Amino acid sequence: MVSKTFSLLFFIRKHKNSDKKLPENSVQKQPVYMRVTVNGKRIEMSTQREVDTSKWNAHAGRLNGTKEEFKTLNHYFDTLQIKIYEIHRQLVDSKTPFTAEMVKQKFIGIEERPHMLIEIIKYHNDCIKTLIGLDYSRATWVKYNTTQKHIEKFLQWKYKVSDKNIKELNFEFINDFEFYLKSQKQIDVNTNAKYIKNLKKIIRECVAKDWLPKDPFMAYKLKTKRTERECLTTTELEAIENKSFDMERLNTIRDIFLFSCYTGLAYIDAANLKPEHLVTGMDGEKWIYTFRQKTDTPSRIPLLPKALAIIDKYSDHPKTVNENKLLPFPSNQKLNAYLKEIATCCKIKKELTFHIARHTFATTVTLNNGVSIEAVSKMLGHKKMQTTQIYAKILDSKVSDDMQALKKRLLAV
């Protein structure tokens, strides 16, 4: 899209004291400015010249008269006009949308420094890294850093370059990046969409800063595939609860996992819990008051007896005492490795990870036992009800129980 309207005007700008009465026969001189207007937005520049206001023709933007001084000034203004119109022609020929400010920069000899994609992404990621623990988690930085690496390799694969001017980004670029992730990296649809969403967020910041006149993502639609969220059935949950392990570390990991099954807390939020997060609620019962690190939204959870019992069990554990934590959490990597052992011991075929505990709370523990989706959403700390609906699928067992109850009511009629 090329700029639609363009105009140039020479005009006199009055001095602050220009209204004062001057001596008879004296000449009043005022500075001449140029006003460049592009698509209704204008910018003004000094011509570095002053003229006799009595000889100025505002309509023509030139001096009236045949004196050599007037001819010289008019020729100078003509030269400036030719230069401005030549700049306008160059910008139009470039087929790149431009502004009045860009005309001014070219006129005074300042070329706009190109904004390069990888350079922008690196700066964005460095800002996030600096704010880890304040506004962002380390996981967020890792996510954007991985996106950067994929884009760097894509630029080499597609264009044989290490960076690219963001003004060259368009719908085709995004489609090609998506194709690259699928075909060259064999990345699944949903993970693919996350990387593109990260790029989209950075590009929209560029649009907001007026570095880009148009959002290349405007016509692009993220492609995702709805996935089934794994959770434990009541039988599987009971199997883990009732299992006694010979190794104490597995018993501890089992308890930590069950704590999340009965609170819905994600790993980082549960691992960060301190005694001050355990409060007495309005009902006189014990609650967890915390904020989700991922979204910085409040999460308030009334503690079920089983969750409270686990906290009490580890209140004197050396790790919880020394680190001022509610539970003795290991690293997420170790925890998930131990959970695989627990799954094997309990003959659970599902790939047991800590995040399954959160899904189990949303589905098996709460929704399938009649807790409203609104209450579940608030406890999980979700910003949107739609997110809770994805987590909280209804189990076949719940459907079966409801239908059995319906059959009994129908037979009693």
Side-chain angles (χ1 to χ4, degrees):
M1 176 183 172
V2 178
S3 302
K4 293 179 180 178
T5 63
F6 172 84
S7 66
L8 172 63
L9 173 69
F10 288 84
F11 69 99
I12 284 178
R13 174 175 285 173
K14 291 183 178 181
H15 287 306
K16 289 182 179 179
N17 299 325
S18 61
D19 293 332
K20 287 185 178 180
K21 192 172 182 179
L22 297 174
E24 193 175 349
N25 298 323
S26 64
V27 176
Q28 185 181 48
K29 288 194 172 185
Q30 301 288 354
V32 178
Y33 277 72
M34 296 183 294
R35 178 180 296 148
V36 175
T37 305
V38 178
N39 289 345
K41 293 185 178 180
R42 67 192 190 187
I43 197 161
E44 295 172 355
M45 297 174 278
S46 172
T47 66
Q48 307 298 322
R49 297 290 186 275
E50 290 188 342
V51 298
D52 181 350
T53 57
S54 66
K55 301 298 182 180
W56 182 253
N57 185 329
H59 179 73
R62 296 293 187 273
L63 289 160
N64 291 327
T66 57
K67 288 177 67 172
E68 193 61 33
E69 178 191 355
F70 298 163
K71 288 181 180 180
T72 301
L73 283 169
N74 284 339
H75 178 70
Y76 174 72
F77 297 145
D78 289 341
T79 302
L80 295 182
Q81 179 169 302
I82 290 169
K83 186 175 180 180
I84 292 291
Y85 274 101
E86 174 59 20
I87 290 170
H88 174 252
R89 184 194 64 77
Q90 291 173 4
L91 290 169
V92 170
D93 288 348
S94 71
K95 299 190 185 322
T96 302
F98 60 90
T99 63
E101 178 63 34
M102 291 168 67
V103 175
K104 177 182 178 181
Q105 288 177 345
K106 277 186 170 291
F107 176 76
I108 63 178
I110 301 175
E111 292 290 338
E112 182 184 11
R113 183 176 176 272
H115 298 287
M116 306 302 287
L117 178 61
I118 298 301
E119 188 178 317
I120 291 167
I121 295 174
K122 281 182 179 177
Y123 177 76
H124 172 273
N125 294 354
D126 287 345
C127 289
I128 287 180
K129 189 175 183 180
T130 303
L131 295 172
I132 289 176
L134 298 173
D135 293 339
Y136 300 98
S137 66
R138 180 173 177 80
T140 300
W141 173 76
V142 170
K143 176 180 69 174
Y144 279 104
N145 200 45
T146 304
T147 302
Q148 177 188 320
K149 290 176 181 177
H150 282 311
I151 294 173
E152 287 173 336
K153 290 177 181 177
F154 165 67
L155 291 177
Q156 288 289 347
W157 176 78
K158 177 70 178 178
Y159 304 100
K160 304 296 187 292
V161 297
S162 60
D163 210 342
K164 197 171 184 65
N165 191 327
I166 60 170
K167 287 187 177 178
E168 297 176 41
L169 302 191
N170 51 27
F171 182 79
E172 182 183 2
F173 178 92
I174 301 164
N175 273 335
D176 287 343
F177 180 49
E178 179 188 352
F179 174 77
Y180 166 79
L181 292 175
K182 288 179 181 176
S183 64
Q184 302 301 309
K185 295 297 181 180
Q186 284 80 51
I187 294 175
D188 66 77
V189 174
N190 288 347
T191 306
N192 198 324
K194 289 178 183 177
Y195 292 132
I196 295 174
K197 190 175 180 180
N198 295 341
L199 174 61
K200 181 179 180 180
K201 184 250 186 186
I202 295 170
I203 293 303
R204 288 205 162 169
E205 287 183 2
C206 295
V207 176
K209 293 175 181 176
D210 288 329
W211 293 351
L212 275 173
K214 181 181 177 183
D215 183 1
F217 279 91
M218 191 177 296
Y220 180 82
K221 185 175 181 180
L222 280 172
K223 302 171 185 67
T224 57
K225 182 172 67 177
R226 184 160 183 168
T227 57
E228 290 293 322
R229 304 290 178 124
E230 284 276 33
C231 66
L232 297 178
T233 64
T234 302
T235 302
E236 291 167 335
L237 185 58
E238 289 175 352
I240 293 175
E241 284 187 77
N242 298 329
K243 182 71 175 178
S244 180
F245 299 96
D246 295 332
M247 290 177 284
E248 190 57 36
R249 65 175 171 84
L250 289 185
N251 284 317
T252 301
I253 296 302
R254 182 268 317 277
D255 291 341
I256 289 172
F257 177 78
L258 289 175
F259 177 78
S260 184
C261 287
Y262 288 109
T263 60
L265 289 166
Y267 169 83
I268 191 65
D269 300 319
N272 287 337
L273 287 178
K274 296 183 177 182
E276 55 260 37
H277 293 124
L278 186 62
V279 302
T280 301
M282 57 179 289
D283 55 3
E285 302 290 335
K286 291 295 182 182
W287 289 52
I288 291 289
Y289 276 23
T290 186
F291 280 81
R292 289 200 67 204
Q293 183 167 305
K294 182 178 179 180
T295 58
D296 197 34
T297 52
S299 184
R300 298 185 174 186
I301 308 157
L303 285 174
L304 294 168
K306 289 181 179 179
L308 193 55
I310 292 170
I311 292 175
D312 291 340
K313 181 178 178 179
Y314 291 94
S315 60
D316 295 327
H317 191 282
K319 189 175 176 68
T320 60
V321 173
N322 293 335
E323 297 179 5
N324 192 35
K325 296 291 180 67
L326 278 186
L327 294 172
F329 269 78
S331 70
N332 198 15
Q333 186 178 7
K334 283 185 178 179
L335 195 154
N336 283 322
Y338 296 151
L339 284 175
K340 286 179 172 59
E341 292 184 50
I342 290 173
T344 302
C345 293
C346 296
K347 298 179 180 180
I348 294 173
K349 303 297 182 184
K350 295 168 182 171
E351 184 180 354
L352 200 60
T353 64
F354 193 81
H355 209 63
I356 282 182
R358 185 166 167 84
H359 303 324
T360 301
F361 173 78
T363 307
T364 308
V365 174
T366 55
L367 283 173
N368 281 1
N369 283 301
V371 179
S372 72
I373 194 168
E374 291 82 6
V376 174
S377 184
K378 187 168 183 179
M379 287 188 286
L380 291 175
H382 285 163
K383 288 184 175 180
K384 298 178 182 177
M385 190 70 66
Q386 190 177 10
T387 308
T388 315
Q389 290 168 339
I390 293 172
Y391 271 70
K393 67 175 183 179
I394 302 299
L395 298 177
D396 290 344
S397 58
K398 174 64 175 172
V399 175
S400 175
D401 290 343
D402 289 348
M403 291 304 289
Q404 289 298 329
L406 175 61
K407 285 179 184 178
K408 288 178 182 180
R409 286 198 297 273
L410 292 175
L411 288 172
V413 175

